[in-house]
Amino acid sequence: MLDIQLLRKDAALVAERLAARGFAFDAARFDALEAERKTIQTRTQEAQSHRNSMSKQIGMMKGKGEDTTAVMAEVAGLGDELKQLEERLAALQTEINDFLMGVPNLPHESVAPGKDETANVEVSRWGTPRNFDFAVRDHVDIGESLGQLDFAAAVKITGSRFSVMRGGLARLHRALAQFMLDTHTAEHGYTEVYVPYLVNADSMRGTGQLPKFEEDLFHVPRTDAEKLYLIPTAEVPVTNLLRDEIVAAESLPLRFVAHTPCFRSEAGSYGRDTRGMIRQHQFDKVELVQMVRPEDSYAALEALTAHAETILQKLGLPYRKMALCSGDMGFSAAKTYDLEVWLPAQNTYREISSCSNFETFQSRRMQARFRVGQGKPELLHTLNGSGLAVGRTLVAVLENYQNADGSVTVPEALRPWMGGIEQLTPA
RNA sequence: GGAGAGGUGGCAGAGUGGUCGAAUGUACCUGACUCGAAAUCAGGCGUGAGCGCAAGUUCACCGUGGGUUCGAAUCCCACCCUCUCCGCCA
C-alpha cells in the first residue's frame, strides 16, 4: 500500500510514476473520494464530540442527583444524523482502502522504464554454458530414463503439474534444499524458521497477494471468516512474522530463511511450460526474507541477491542477473532482480530466483514497524528473494550435469548432503 | 470431539452502565539525591486517524464483528483465539 499522505499531496505525480509500470491510477477518483471523506469525517467527529460531551454532562448531573430529562431530550435527537454520518464515513473509508489496496508499488528511481520483459536489463553474467559433444536431453527425459522422475504417477495421484521423484533424484532434491539452508544460515547470517503452509487472509493481504490475486491461490474452504490459503511462497508467513509488531531498532536487520513447499494455481498460464518441472502447482523453495531500516534496504537488496547468487556459483550453474523494468515487476515490488539459470535443453536462461525490495509497501499493510529508542514507531523495509527455487535448481542440475550415458554427475558442493553419492544412474 | 475457564496498555493485574483511554504494580525514559551505582523521591511513558503553520485539538481503539443505550471495557448476540481436564491421534 502506498503512503496516503503522498497521494493527497500529489496524486498526479503518483499517477505518472505508476504509468511507467502500466498502471492507470485514477487520480480524479481518488481526489473526489478524499474530498468527500474529509468533509464527512470532520462533520462526523464534530457530531461525536458533541454527543460525547452531552453524555458526559448527563453522567455528571446524575452523579449529583440533578434532573437530566431536558439534556437527554436534547441529545436524543442526535442519534439518527450521527448514525448516517458514521455509516457514510465507514463506507468511504472502505472504498478508499479498497482502492489503495489495488494500487501497485512505485518503481524505484533506478528501475528502467519498460513495458514487459523485453525491456529488462542484464546486469551481469556468471559462468560459461558447457559445450556438449552429444545431443542434450531435457530434465524430463533424463529423470524418466533414470527411472526416478514419474509424472504419470503424479497425474494418477493428483493431476497435471505435479511430480513424483524417487531414489537418488528425490535425495538430490532434498540435498539441494539442505545445502541452501545450511549455506544461508552458516555463511550469510540468516535464522532458519519453520512456518505454517496455510495462512489466513490477513497474512495474504499483508504481503500483497490479496485482494488482487486470489485466483492465483489455492484455498481451504472452511467458513468465510476462517478461510485459509496455501502459501504461494514462504515470503507470506515469514514476512508476516512482523505484522502488527514494533521491534527495537537494534534488532535490525532481521534475516530469515525458510524452506517450504509453495502452491500456485497457475491460473492464466495454460499451455505455458506444461512439460516437466518448470511450472508446477507444488514446488519447494528456500526463501530469504529481510526486515531492515529504510536507509539500508537497497544495500540489503544487493546483498540478498548476492546470497542467492552464491548458491548458483557453488553449484557451478551459469546464470545471469537481470534488473527488471518497471512493467515487468510484481505488484508489491519497488525494485527486483531476477536470477536466470542456464538450461541447455531450452538453450536459454530461465528464472530461478526473484529478489525484491518492497520498501514500505508491505510493512504499511502489515503495520510492521521499528522504534529508535523511545521515538515514534517507523515502518521498516521488507525484502525477499528465492535462494533458490529448489525444483528449478534440480532441473538445472540435471540438464547441466548430464552425461552421454544418461547418468548425472552430482555437483561437488552437494556431495556432503548426498551420503557420498557422486552420480545418479539408472536403478 | 465433550466439559469448563478466560481474552484489558511491554508484562502483571483492577475495573460489571456515567468525568474510564482505563487504578495499581512492574519495566522503560527524564530529573533530583550520589564520587558513581543501587535504593528512594518527582515527573513522563499505548496505537491509529482527522484538523491545524504551530501550540494544540478532536475522533476511534479494552480479542473480532454486530446490537441495546443519551452514554458500553462493563449488558445482549455471533464468531475467533488461548488455557485446563477428558477422548482421539503423529
Side-chain angles (χ1 to χ4, degrees):
Chain A
M1 188 151 66
L2 298 179
D3 183 0
I4 195 166
Q5 307 292 352
L6 179 66
L7 288 163
R8 283 175 186 148
K9 221 184 310 168
D10 204 343
L13 176 76
V14 170
E16 191 185 312
R17 289 179 65 188
L18 286 173
R21 59 185 300 161
F23 183 86
F25 178 81
D26 190 344
R29 170 143 185 263
F30 175 79
D31 288 343
L33 282 171
E34 263 293 290
E36 189 183 358
R37 189 227 92 230
K38 188 167 174 172
T39 318
I40 299 291
Q41 181 161 359
T42 306
R43 282 175 57 198
T44 306
Q45 291 190 354
E46 277 167 5
Q48 285 171 328
S49 179
H50 185 212
R51 180 209 56 198
N52 287 348
S53 61
M54 298 291 276
S55 293
K56 217 163 230 184
Q57 199 186 333
I58 292 170
M60 278 157 58
M61 289 170 78
K62 288 208 165 182
K64 293 184 208 152
E66 293 170 20
D67 177 50
T68 59
T69 47
V71 194
M72 279 176 71
E74 189 186 340
V75 78
L78 262 48
D80 280 352
E81 197 205 345
L82 182 57
K83 189 165 186 174
Q84 276 186 14
L85 283 168
E86 282 175 342
E87 279 169 3
R88 182 64 194 142
L89 180 61
L92 275 168
Q93 283 175 332
T94 303
E95 198 172 346
I96 290 170
N97 190 55
D98 289 351
F99 178 82
L100 285 179
M101 289 290 267
V103 177
N105 203 354
L106 296 174
H108 185 252
E109 59 189 12
S110 67
V111 170
K115 240 176 125 88
D116 53 34
E117 71 274 5
T118 58
N120 293 344
V121 179
E122 182 174 315
V123 177
S124 61
R125 214 174 256 240
W126 185 92
T128 310
R130 178 182 156 198
N131 283 314
F132 290 89
D133 53 9
F134 57 92
V136 295
R137 301 194 293 165
D138 77 354
H139 68 283
V140 179
D141 282 349
I142 298 166
E144 287 184 339
S145 65
L146 284 169
Q148 299 179 3
L149 184 56
D150 191 345
F151 290 106
V155 165
K156 179 181 71 179
I157 297 166
T158 307
S160 64
R161 291 204 193 278
F162 289 87
S163 49
V164 167
M165 289 175 269
R166 303 178 212 271
L169 189 64
R171 177 158 192 169
L172 185 68
H173 184 259
R174 170 163 62 91
L176 280 167
Q178 300 204 346
F179 157 66
M180 293 175 195
L181 280 172
D182 288 349
T183 301
H184 294 309
T185 53
E187 297 177 21
H188 300 149
Y190 289 78
T191 301
E192 183 172 351
V193 286
Y194 173 83
V195 290
Y197 304 156
L198 291 169
V199 301
N200 57 36
D202 281 341
S203 292
M204 286 295 188
R205 274 190 284 271
T207 33
Q209 283 74 20
L210 288 181
K212 255 197 144 172
F213 306 101
E214 180 147 22
E215 72 277 8
D216 295 335
L217 303 169
F218 286 110
H219 70 270
V220 182
R222 306 218 293 175
T223 67
D224 273 356
E226 49 181 340
K227 185 171 171 183
L228 295 180
Y229 297 84
L230 278 73
I231 58 170
T233 159
E235 161 194 351
V236 178
V238 175
T239 310
N240 273 280
L241 286 170
L242 270 284
R243 172 151 56 88
D244 293 324
E245 300 288 339
I246 301 172
V247 299
E250 305 81 66
S251 64
L252 300 177
L254 292 168
R255 297 195 187 96
F256 297 114
V257 59
H259 166 221
T260 72
C262 304
F263 302 92
R264 298 187 182 177
S265 75
E266 293 299 341
S269 64
Y270 303 112
R272 287 180 64 196
D273 301 313
T274 49
R275 179 177 164 85
M277 293 182 69
I278 293 290
R279 191 175 299 276
Q280 301 264 284
H281 288 311
Q282 172 186 321
F283 62 95
D284 276 27
K285 185 156 57 68
V286 170
E287 184 76 0
L288 305 172
V289 175
Q290 293 200 27
M291 292 87 170
V292 306
R293 292 188 185 216
E295 62 269 30
D296 299 332
S297 71
Y298 280 93
L301 176 62
E302 298 300 322
L304 185 147
T305 308
H307 297 151
E309 289 179 65
T310 300
I311 300 296
L312 288 163
Q313 291 173 12
K314 283 179 184 258
L315 291 172
L317 295 170
Y319 68 91
R320 59 179 191 175
K321 175 180 172 183
M322 307 293 289
L324 298 195
C325 74
S326 56
D328 198 33
M329 286 197 304
F331 181 76
S332 304
K335 179 168 185 170
T336 299
Y337 291 117
D338 272 7
L339 300 178
E340 299 181 343
V341 70
W342 177 253
L343 293 186
Q346 295 191 10
N347 197 40
T348 188
Y349 290 94
R350 289 299 304 260
E351 180 186 341
I352 197 168
S353 172
S354 190
C355 303
S356 302
N357 184 359
F358 303 93
E359 298 189 1
T360 57
F361 191 82
Q362 295 181 325
S363 59
R364 185 171 291 108
R365 291 172 165 231
M366 287 193 293
Q367 287 298 297
R369 293 164 293 169
F370 71 100
R371 194 197 302 271
V372 180
Q374 301 288 305
K376 280 276 160 205
E378 300 171 55
L379 295 170
L380 41 76
H381 280 199
T382 63
L383 305 95
N384 68 58
S386 353
L388 308 162
V390 178
R392 288 190 181 180
T393 309
L394 186 79
V395 167
V397 168
L398 290 181
E399 295 194 3
N400 283 280
Y401 283 87
Q402 63 182 299
N403 301 312
D405 64 1
S407 68
V408 175
T409 302
V410 173
E412 290 278 356
L414 280 182
R415 293 190 188 162
W417 288 268
M418 286 295 286
I421 298 172
E422 296 181 5
Q423 265 201 349
L424 300 187
T425 50

